[in-house]
Amino acid sequence: MVSNQKVSIVTGSSSGIGLETALTLARNGYFTYATMRNPEKDAPIKNALKKENLPIKVIQLDVIDDESLKNAIDHVTSEAGRIDVLVNNAGYGLVGALEELSMEEIKAQYETNLFGLVRVIQAVLPTMRKQRSGRILNLSSGAGLFGYPGGSAYVSSKFAVEGLSESMAYELEPFGIRVILIEPGFVQTNFANSMVIAKKAQDPTSPYSQMMQRIAASSSELAKSGSSADLVANVILDAATNPNPRLRYLVGKDVEAWAASKKSMDESEFFNMIKKIST
Ligand SMILES: NC(=O)c1ccc[n+]([C@@H]2O[C@H](COP(=O)([O-])OP(=O)(O)OC[C@H]3O[C@@H](n4cnc5c(N)ncnc54)[C@H](OP(=O)(O)O)[C@@H]3O)[C@@H](O)[C@H]2O)c1
């Protein structure tokens, strides 16, 4: 059945940016599939549904599980028959100096933040291409624009999302599909609590231990004054509905200032600024 209502899919809708985005898209008329790897975490959506009549449905989708992905996308295409907006939001941060990250830790980071996103995009594209329309919004970050200590795995996963999105934008424009990068600075979500600290970095005898502790402390501090998830969700709504969307949307005063500094400063000046902020 092909529905007349526009349809959106959001990954990682159990909390933070994904949750607010799913609610915002539904409030603005999209029939929204709020996907999450563990549907038992649907309480915030259920609570919203007690107060508001929203076109929203929770379905299971773990972006690192091929079978879960197939089931979720088959569900959407057979029920709704169209996919207008995909928000690739699922992700987490890994902290640790490159020397001390295990290959398993790095692969797990890429499996979710990069390959997970690739899997979902590949699954929705046949439908979007047939429609000759659609928007794919990928959650990058300030970490997709510049590196910082302890961030080599997370930052490189987001740099990869940037490069992949920029290339796809050319491939998909002829089919009427737009690719958009959302680049928030610090956002007040569960992100800091879900952050994985590399095993070796937790050993007090590690040569990086003090540096990693300072980074963890300064990022928790900076996160307290971060943007609200609601602000990010509204930028996503704007990018999803704007007739002429940009490729990139910075979100938050912090990342706007850092991106401006990166343009105006020479490399060593910028390096020293990030060093001062992060350690
Ligand atoms: N918060 C920030 O400061 C910030 C800044 C820039 C960019 N971002 C990006 O924004 C996105 C959302 O993060 P957030 O800040 O909203 O953090 P969050 O509150 O921790 O939300 C992350 C979401 O991703 C989900 N997730 C993790 N692995 C998954 C998997 N394999 N399959 C499906 N879902 C999975 C989590 O599910 P569970 O509840 O099951 O763990 C959760 O719903 C991430 O891509 C992050 O990199 C965040």
Side-chain angles (χ1 to χ4, degrees), residues 12 14-15 17 37 41 62-63 89 140 154 158 185 187 189-190:
S14 63
S15 72
I17 297 168
R37 61 179 163 179
K41 287 188 168 179
D62 183 338
V63 299
N89 163 78
S140 174
Y154 180 67
K158 293 297 187 185
V187 187
T189 66
N190 276 345

Side-chain angles (χ1 to χ4, degrees), residues 156-175:
S156 58
S157 75
K158 293 297 187 185
F159 267 55
V161 168
E162 290 270 334
L164 171 147
S165 304
E166 203 171 303
S167 295
M168 277 173 48
Y170 292 101
E171 296 162 8
L172 296 176
E173 195 195 45
F175 298 102

